[in-house]
Amino acid sequence: PATVQVQPWLPDRPGIREDIAGLNGLVWVVDEAVGEIRQTLQETGLDQNTLFIFTTDHGTAMPRAKGTCYDPGTKTALIMHQPGVIEGGTVYDQLLSNCDFMPTLLDIAGGPEPVDIWGRSFRPLLNGESYTPREHIFSEMTWHDRYNPMRSVRTTRYKYIRNYGSRPLVYMPWDVYQGLAGQEMIGEYYTGGRPEHQLYDLENDPLEFEDVAGDPGYADVLEELQGMVQ
């Protein structure tokens, strides 16, 4: 715990350091498991025609991340590799959504292009072909341990979050709440209410600390993004 790097959206406190150290330890276990899978693919000769994917279903299991619509909660890991098809070593910063995943896999496999869905293939991005980036993506939270509805839309610059009902300032799922990091943050996250509308200028405030929903200078942005979220 004494040597870990604390996530920038969290304060540097003993319980938070303890839980980060635990998460870092899990990385070693995951790395070992991934290594065994890849070694088996090589030994069986299946590695050349297998698309290897490592992904996750939510953000970091820490306060103000998992169970929220803040970036640390909606950003998931996605690593893909197949020799001669998708080579490693490249990081992309375009906006992608989970709904893009299925059409991408179909595209890579040579299957038919699905119709009447919002998701679209990002295979051209991975292969260095012509690709039009998304201008916005949506995320949502409805239930995890308790009813906690929120909706959001994110562009390359802005994040708008719509909250429903009376809820804590920052909801923490039970596994996070009962952990040492969660206990460190109860006093700050569960003593105030969450606003109905939140707006963040990610260019000037990438950690989403300064809510500008009430700033007249952002009124047009707020109105535009509000209209995209129901």
Side-chain angles (χ1 to χ4, degrees), residues 1-2 4-18 20 184-185:
V4 302
Q5 181 176 348
V6 177
Q7 286 94 334
W9 70 86
L10 291 172
D12 189 343
R13 297 176 182 172
I16 290 174
R17 282 186 166 272
E18 287 279 350
I20 292 174
E184 292 277 18
M185 303 308 300

Side-chain angles (χ1 to χ4, degrees), residues 95-192:
L95 295 174
L96 301 177
S97 174
N98 278 358
C99 66
D100 297 328
F101 203 43
M102 182 266 286
T104 300
L105 296 183
L106 285 175
D107 192 4
I108 294 173
E113 180 180 355
V115 296
D116 298 327
I117 63 172
W118 193 70
R120 57 189 177 88
S121 173
F122 55 84
R123 180 201 58 77
L125 172 66
L126 304 179
N127 293 152
E129 301 173 11
S130 176
Y131 174 78
T132 302
R134 284 194 176 279
E135 295 182 354
H136 60 270
I137 54 175
F138 297 97
S139 60
E140 60 87 19
M141 169 70 180
T142 298
W143 180 277
H144 192 110
D145 305 328
R146 60 175 292 184
Y147 186 54
N148 180 50
M150 65 182 79
R151 305 288 184 267
S152 78
V153 58
R154 189 196 195 283
T155 68
T156 55
R157 176 164 180 177
Y158 298 105
K159 163 80 68 63
Y160 167 72
I161 302 174
R162 170 72 185 275
N163 299 297
Y164 299 86
S166 178
R167 301 288 184 270
L169 180 61
V170 176
Y171 164 75
M172 292 187 288
W174 177 245
D175 59 321
V176 177
Y177 181 94
Q178 68 177 347
L180 295 174
Q183 294 299 302
E184 292 277 18
M185 303 308 300
I186 290 176
E188 296 177 31
Y189 290 168
Y190 282 74
T191 55

Side-chain angles (χ1 to χ4, degrees), residues 1 3-4 19-37 54:
T3 62
V4 302
D19 275 3
I20 292 174
L23 287 173
N24 289 352
L26 288 175
V27 172
W28 290 96
V29 180
V30 172
D31 182 68
E32 182 176 311
V34 170
E36 290 182 4
I37 294 171
F54 176 86

Side-chain angles (χ1 to χ4, degrees), residues 41 43 88 119 136 170 207:
L41 288 173
E43 292 173 349
H136 60 270
V170 176
L207 298 180

